[in-house]
């Protein structure tokens, strides 16, 4: 397949305008960039100037080359003057090999296929309870009342958080990632870190079979993790385990509401569920951008990237690349093949990819098994974020058939 060439003068390219994502149509800019300037030098705004990559093959190549494109300085754009991410070099997300592999080795087995299969009954139970509660209420926000709870409860359980504290962390996470102002979000995030500091202290004295215990007792090259590494990785696992799956599951339901024939296809043929989950992941592409920093001069499509240059990977654009996906702007639950990049690629392929897929599948299966009708109960509101892409609110009405 060849790319659609659009030589029309584009609107001013500004990929860091939050309003672009709230309005729901950044795809016009990405489509023009793929066709005309796939390695684009983005002008400085409140963020320093950076390279913006929008083609699938280029983004995959950067993911594959962790030596040239480093994660250690941060994986998200930061406003001018904020410097590198203070967690750089200490977490799963913000390390390069070999440290990344060593940290990942501590927790990998917890997210392997066999381990996830072992907790599937508990996942099914949690999904069922969440859906049952939503059905009793009838009118709910699909994001907060359904999609947010299942992955958050699951990662809390895996991290050894007592069930009595799950609602507390749920409230804090909603404030940290959906608070009305920066101060509310900041203090909520600090409260989450404070909670895990206390939990880590308790697990150090009395380790259990959980991820926090793995971090406080784990060693790399014969040395324990520092307190900072433990807390930052707790935060990394908690946020990664809860937030992206929440937005993907909710964004998937929004897609099904906008394409009801596809929901009926899955309901009528459950063998389509695995490919439907993959299409939800491609369509939602919840990480809007991922940042890498060039460690050496490199040329990409004739553009010279210098050492130290920020390079951004726009995953929703890659997952709509006309050279890779047939009819990419169609939501198709039977799409095959579907080699999307929503979960990353290479060294930083999402450690929780198996878990996320099962959580999304179980949620949709619970609705189908109960023959629940889902319909809009108001207008959806999209996030005004350059970090994650999807619905902030999705009011729906649930109707038992």
């Amino acid at each position: 397949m060849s790319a659609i060439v659009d030589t029309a003068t584009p609107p001013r390219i500004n990929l860091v305008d939050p309003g672009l994502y709230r309005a729901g149509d950044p795809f016009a800019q990405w489509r023009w960039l793929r066709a005309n300037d796939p390695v684009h030098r983005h002008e400085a705004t409140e963020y320093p100037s950076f390279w913006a990559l929008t083609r699938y093959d280029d983004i995959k190549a950067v993911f594959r080359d962790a030596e040239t494109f480093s994660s250690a300085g941060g994986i998200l754009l930061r406003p001018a003057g904020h410097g590198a991410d203070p967690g750089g070099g200490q977490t799963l997300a913000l390390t390069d090999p070999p440290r990344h592999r060593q940290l990942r080795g501590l927790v990998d087995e917890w997210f392997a296929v066999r381990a996830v299969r072992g907790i599937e009954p508990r996942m099914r139970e949690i999904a069922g309870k969440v859906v049952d509660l939503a059905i009793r209420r009838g009118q709910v926000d699909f994001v907060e009342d359904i999609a947010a709870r299942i992955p958050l409860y699951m990662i809390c359980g895996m991290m050894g958080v007592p069930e009595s504290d799950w609602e507390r962390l749920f409230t804090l996470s909603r404030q940290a990632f959906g608070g009305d102002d920066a101060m509310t979000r900041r203090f909520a995030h600090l409260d989450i870190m404070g909670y895990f500091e206390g939990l880590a202290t308790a697990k150090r004295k009395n380790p259990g079979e959980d991820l926090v215990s793995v971090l406080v007792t784990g060693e790399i090259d014969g040395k324990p993790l520092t307190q900072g590494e433990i807390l930052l990785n707790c935060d990394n696992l908690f946020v990664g385990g809860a937030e992206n799956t929440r937005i993907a599951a909710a964004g998937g339901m929004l897609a099904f509401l906008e394409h009801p024939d596809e929901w009926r296809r899955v309901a009528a043929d459950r063998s389509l569920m695995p490919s439907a989950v993959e299409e939800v992941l491609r369509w939602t592409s919840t990480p809007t951008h991922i940042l890498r920093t060039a460690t050496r001069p490199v040329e990409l499509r004739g553009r010279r990237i210098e050492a130290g240059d920020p390079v951004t990977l726009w995953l929703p654009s890659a997952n709509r690349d006309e050279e890779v996906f047939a009819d990419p702007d169609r939501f198709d639950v039977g799409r095959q093949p579907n080699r999307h990049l929503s979960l990353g690629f290479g060294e930083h392929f999402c450690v929780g990819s198996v878990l996320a897929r099962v959580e999304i599948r179980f949620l949709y299966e619970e609705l189908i098994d109960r023959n629940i009708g889902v319909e809009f109960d108001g207008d959806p509101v999209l996030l005004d974020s350059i970090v994650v892409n999807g619905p902030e609110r999705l009011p729906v009405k649930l109707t038992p058939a």
Side-chain angles (χ1 to χ4, degrees), residues 342-358:
S342 299
L343 299 170
F345 185 80
E347 292 283 352
H348 283 271
F349 185 73
C350 177
V351 68
S353 59
V354 175
L355 180 67
R357 287 178 167 115
V358 174

Side-chain angles (χ1 to χ4, degrees), residues 77-354:
L77 286 168
R78 292 167 64 83
H82 282 230
D85 193 307
Q90 300 184 75
T91 73
L92 281 166
L94 302 178
T95 45
D96 298 321
R99 187 67 174 179
H100 173 75
R101 295 173 193 157
Q102 293 171 323
L103 283 170
R104 188 167 179 138
L106 295 176
V107 301
D108 249 346
E109 66 180 68
W110 281 80
F111 297 95
V113 172
R114 179 182 298 179
V116 173
R117 284 178 180 162
I119 61 174
E120 281 188 1
R122 181 59 170 153
M123 265 194 283
R124 182 74 77 180
E125 177 187 357
I126 288 173
K129 287 181 177 178
V130 169
V131 170
D132 283 342
L133 180 60
I135 292 170
R136 288 198 292 272
R137 293 179 58 186
Q139 294 171 296
V140 296
D141 176 2
F142 196 93
V143 179
E144 180 164 337
D145 297 319
I146 301 178
R149 292 181 181 273
I150 295 170
L152 185 135
Y153 291 164
M154 281 308 305
I155 195 63
C156 279
M158 294 173 70
M159 295 183 76
V161 175
E163 191 166 347
S164 58
D165 289 342
W166 290 3
E167 280 304 307
R168 176 186 172 190
L169 283 176
F170 176 82
T171 300
L172 288 174
S173 70
R174 301 278 48 78
Q175 293 171 349
F177 301 103
D180 292 333
D181 59 83
M183 193 62 71
T184 297
R185 295 191 293 270
R186 175 175 173 77
F187 279 114
H189 208 141
L190 288 173
D191 283 345
I192 292 172
M193 294 287 281
Y195 178 87
F196 280 110
E197 183 176 18
L199 185 61
T201 299
K203 296 296 182 182
R204 189 175 284 108
K205 295 176 181 176
N206 187 23
E209 292 294 320
D210 56 75
L211 283 166
V212 175
S213 295
V214 167
L215 293 174
V216 299
T217 61
E219 294 184 350
I220 295 177
D221 294 333
K223 297 179 181 179
L225 302 186
T226 66
Q227 179 74 349
E229 287 175 324
I230 292 168
L231 295 182
L232 288 167
N233 280 287
C234 283
D235 184 64
N236 195 171
L237 290 168
F238 178 73
V239 173
E243 289 304 302
N244 282 340
T245 306
R246 167 181 72 90
I247 299 171
M253 182 49 63
L254 175 58
F256 280 123
L257 288 169
E258 293 174 335
H259 304 85
D261 287 347
E262 296 303 292
W263 181 255
R264 288 190 281 270
R265 280 181 71 190
V266 180
D269 182 2
R270 296 290 285 278
S271 70
L272 285 172
M273 185 60 78
S275 63
V277 171
E278 296 306 316
E279 181 68 343
V280 163
L281 291 169
R282 181 193 76 91
W283 187 262
T284 58
S285 299
T286 56
T288 309
H289 83 271
I290 299 292
L291 175 71
R292 295 291 187 260
T293 302
T295 61
R296 62 179 179 85
V298 63
E299 188 170 293
L300 191 59
R301 293 188 185 265
R303 307 300 296 274
R304 182 176 172 84
I305 297 171
E306 300 292 349
D309 281 358
V311 179
T312 55
L313 317 179
W314 297 86
L315 301 191
S317 176
N319 287 335
R320 301 282 184 104
D321 191 330
E322 303 83 357
E323 290 194 348
V324 177
F325 299 96
D327 199 3
D329 294 321
R330 179 189 173 203
F331 181 66
D332 177 10
V333 297
R335 182 178 296 276
Q336 294 286 350
N338 195 349
R339 294 184 290 271
H340 60 80
L341 297 176
S342 299
L343 299 170
F345 185 80
E347 292 283 352
H348 283 271
F349 185 73
C350 177
V351 68
S353 59
V354 175

Side-chain angles (χ1 to χ4, degrees), residues 34-105:
R34 286 198 303 272
N36 298 282
D37 193 10
V39 183
H40 172 72
R41 186 67 176 181
H42 198 288
E43 66 182 45
T45 57
E46 67 269 35
Y47 299 91
S49 180
F50 58 87
W51 293 99
L53 274 54
T54 50
R55 297 299 298 271
Y56 181 98
D57 287 343
D58 298 335
I59 290 173
K60 190 173 181 179
V62 169
F63 271 135
R64 184 184 286 119
D65 188 357
E67 184 176 342
T68 303
F69 300 99
S70 172
S71 304
I75 61 168
L76 299 172
L77 286 168
R78 292 167 64 83
H82 282 230
D85 193 307
Q90 300 184 75
T91 73
L92 281 166
L94 302 178
T95 45
D96 298 321
R99 187 67 174 179
H100 173 75
R101 295 173 193 157
Q102 293 171 323
L103 283 170
R104 188 167 179 138

